Amino acid sequence: MKSPKIIEELKPFFEPNAVAIIGATDKKGKVGNVIFENFKKNKEQGVFKGNIYPVNPKLDEIEGYKVYKSVKDLPEDTDLAVISIPAPFVPQTMKEIAEKGIKSVIIITGGFGELGEEGKKMEEEILQIARENGIRVIGPNCVGVYVPDTGVDTVFLPEQKMDRPKNGSIAFVSQSGAFAAAMLDWAALAGIGIGKMVSYGNKLDVDDADLMDYFIHDESIKVVTFYIEGVKEGRKFIEAAKRITKVKPVIALKSGRTEYGAKAASSHTGSLAGADTIYDAVFKQTGILRAEDFEHMFDVAKAFAKCKLPNGDRIGIITDGGGAGVMASDAVAKFGLKMAELSEETIKYLKEHFPPHAVAGNPTDVVGDTDAQRYKYAIEAFVNDPNVDAIVIIVLFQVPLLNEEKIIEILADYAKKSEKPIVAVAMGGKKTEYYAKILEDKGVPVYPTPERGVRAIAGLVQYAKYLEKLNEE
């Protein structure tokens, strides 16, 4: 079956046959050198399968790679051009790209619409060339694209200064390049997998709506996250959002909420931030989940990437620390969820298997002398209880009789086989972080506080209710 047009148009950004790096240089630390080095390293490691063509009229060779004097000289298989030359030279380069027949262009260079009228005129000229020749453009004023699975990496922050996250099922789209780079670095530290990152800067051409339409068909992506400063084509955005949220969740972090923030957004990427209440209404209408901050966005995204959707909003809490259970209960109320009323069978089962000092209720407190088996009884009961829609399991790894490997194995097993979403909360320091990462690698989302764990579940519930409402219409 023929791919949708948007897939054919945007695929070279993520899986090019050959990339031309226009402005590639041998001067270490320069933007054109970092991008070249990214592709070269990924090629040497067998991740990037395409050809690499550096372009610079002043060089003959960079680290064994032939350098092409101009775009006109590039081999015919070139299907992606990455531009990192000064802004005044970009329009002429676009003309050469059009003549060469290259259809995908990432313009890293800044100094366009965000700086005023002269920059806007250059953007208009570039856009006209693109539209007349069927070229799709990401940028300008951006860090471009990062795809760990195919080795596309136009992020011009060197790996010595910024880690890259592992592959995953979360797409991350950011208007701000600096924010995108910082979030990739943070995601790498947090162990969050990113399948595709797109930084589109001034979004001259490819915008949020185009990317949403692409990700609808991208089976490697389970959830899409956006950092947005402003939307230029509201109707196009709304229609694309309605299409994708029927298929997969979208989480947006929208900045420029205040008068001061809106002014800053305008000077940053030339965005028209608009009234924040309008965005609230649009997100609600289209089923986009609005994040309060970047932690919220990735907490919820992580839950979507690893969990099934709940059938309702009744939350069961299991803990080995009473205080943590109270905090989780408060969070359930705060985020508009309900504490599950455990069935009589569940209470009876727990009392039969628990010592007298453990608490059989919701929260169920297996208390500080617990072992892994006591947790197993509780999880088994909650999974089988029809009154429980989602489960938050708080594990304080510090308690003395708890075998860490066993509880990790039990949690991972139930998270995999249960039809209910299960998230874990692990509070503590370095040792806790160590075990939390093992648990995450086994497919269970882990949060450092009860509130963040419950808030992530609330995102799942909100999206499940949106889908339910769509089905009823």
Side-chain angles (χ1 to χ4, degrees):
M1 190 172 71
K2 190 180 177 186
S3 299
K5 187 182 174 196
I6 194 71
I7 297 292
E8 293 178 7
E9 289 181 347
L10 301 194
K11 191 175 179 182
F13 288 113
F14 307 117
E15 303 174 46
N17 295 315
V19 57
I21 303 164
I22 300 167
T25 172
D26 55 1
K27 293 177 183 173
K28 298 293 181 188
K30 300 271 286 185
V31 171
N33 180 260
V34 175
I35 295 171
F36 168 76
E37 292 286 348
N38 291 346
F39 279 100
K40 175 175 172 284
K41 186 206 72 174
N42 288 337
K43 175 87 174 173
E44 289 170 353
Q45 292 179 348
V47 182
F48 182 67
K49 309 286 188 192
N51 293 317
I52 303 170
Y53 304 135
V55 180
N56 188 326
K58 297 177 182 175
L59 297 174
D60 296 319
E61 173 263 328
I62 303 175
E63 297 185 38
Y65 281 78
K66 176 186 175 181
V67 177
Y68 295 84
K69 297 295 182 187
S70 85
V71 171
K72 297 171 187 171
D73 301 329
L74 285 167
E76 295 303 318
D77 64 342
T78 310
D79 55 353
L80 173 63
V82 182
I83 298 177
S84 65
I85 57 177
F89 299 105
V90 176
Q92 177 57 36
T93 302
M94 278 296 293
K95 289 178 184 172
E96 294 172 9
I97 285 171
E99 290 169 10
K100 193 68 191 175
I102 300 168
K103 300 298 184 187
S104 304
V105 179
I106 300 172
I107 304 175
I108 303 293
T109 310
F112 289 93
E114 76 276 14
L115 293 188
E117 288 306 314
E118 194 169 332
K120 287 180 182 173
K121 285 181 183 174
M122 284 194 289
E123 284 189 352
E124 288 168 8
E125 186 179 354
I126 292 167
L127 185 59
Q128 185 178 348
I129 296 166
R131 292 280 155 82
E132 288 174 353
N133 295 277
I135 300 170
R136 301 308 310 260
V137 179
I138 289 179
N141 187 25
C142 68
V143 298
V145 175
Y146 170 71
V147 187
D149 193 38
T150 62
V152 173
D153 185 352
T154 68
V155 179
F156 57 83
L157 292 308
E159 285 207 56
Q160 298 90 322
K161 295 193 175 188
M162 190 203 105
D163 286 329
R164 267 64 169 170
K166 62 185 178 182
N167 191 28
S169 56
I170 300 172
F172 173 44
V173 180
S174 175
Q175 199 157 359
S176 164
F179 184 74
M183 286 303 96
L184 288 181
D185 199 15
W186 175 82
L189 179 68
I192 294 174
I194 301 291
K196 290 183 176 68
M197 184 285 296
V198 180
S199 151
Y200 51 42
N202 296 5
K203 53 180 168 183
L204 178 67
D205 174 38
V206 174
D207 61 13
D208 321 88
D210 294 320
L211 292 166
M212 283 191 275
D213 278 336
Y214 181 87
F215 288 129
I216 286 173
H217 306 281
D218 188 338
E219 292 182 358
S220 69
I221 297 300
K222 286 186 178 177
V223 52
V224 182
T225 59
F226 281 93
Y227 168 72
I228 298 172
E229 292 182 358
V231 171
K232 289 178 179 173
E233 296 185 58
R235 179 52 55 190
K236 182 182 173 189
F237 179 91
I238 289 170
E239 295 304 321
K242 284 181 177 176
R243 285 191 290 272
I244 190 171
T245 53
K246 288 178 184 172
V247 182
K248 53 187 76 174
V250 176
I251 308 162
L253 174 57
K254 165 71 178 64
S255 64
R257 302 183 76 152
T258 64
E259 180 185 348
Y260 294 143
K263 189 176 178 183
S266 177
S267 62
H268 180 209
T269 54
S271 290
L272 297 170
D276 196 63
T277 51
I278 295 175
Y279 283 96
D280 265 340
V282 167
F283 292 160
K284 189 175 180 184
Q285 178 192 352
T286 58
I288 291 177
L289 308 179
R290 183 164 192 170
E292 295 299 316
D293 49 45
F294 80 88
E295 275 186 345
H296 184 196
M297 181 164 73
F298 283 107
D299 279 351
V300 178
K302 194 165 70 173
F304 277 115
K306 295 176 183 287
C307 290
K308 303 167 182 82
L309 287 180
N311 289 325
D313 58 1
R314 301 167 300 177
I315 310 302
I317 298 168
I318 300 168
T319 181
D320 58 353
V326 174
M327 285 189 269
S329 303
D330 275 341
V332 166
K334 179 178 178 180
F335 297 118
L337 305 171
K338 296 172 186 163
M339 291 292 283
E341 294 284 343
L342 300 182
S343 68
E344 290 182 8
E345 289 78 9
T346 296
I347 299 291
K348 182 170 178 283
Y349 177 85
L350 292 177
K351 285 183 175 176
E352 285 173 357
H353 291 84
F354 278 3
H357 60 284
V359 180
N362 192 19
T364 278
D365 189 353
V366 293
V367 299
D369 67 347
T370 190
D371 56 10
Q373 183 61 41
R374 208 180 295 168
Y375 263 107
K376 187 173 182 181
Y377 290 134
I379 299 168
E380 175 76 16
F382 276 50
V383 164
N384 291 330
D385 191 327
N387 295 340
V388 178
D389 296 314
I391 306 169
V392 178
I393 302 174
I394 302 165
V395 181
L396 303 178
F397 283 103
Q398 298 90 342
V399 299
L401 299 179
L402 187 64
N403 181 299
E404 295 88 352
E405 284 76 22
K406 280 187 180 175
I407 185 62
I408 287 171
E409 188 182 326
I410 289 167
L411 273 167
D413 181 46
Y414 277 101
K416 188 176 180 182
K417 69 186 182 186
S418 170
E419 290 303 312
K420 301 173 183 178
I422 293 176
V423 306
V425 172
M427 304 167 72
K430 284 183 181 177
K431 291 184 174 64
T432 293
E433 189 177 348
Y434 171 77
Y435 291 118
K437 282 191 174 178
I438 296 174
L439 192 49
E440 289 232 325
D441 286 343
K442 289 180 176 289
V444 183
V446 185
Y447 300 92
T449 67
E451 181 163 89
R452 284 175 61 181
V454 173
R455 187 170 63 167
I457 290 258
L460 300 182
V461 170
Q462 186 181 342
Y463 182 61
K465 286 185 174 180
Y466 174 76
L467 291 181
E468 189 179 338
K469 188 179 171 188
L470 283 183
N471 290 332
E472 289 171 355
E473 290 175 353

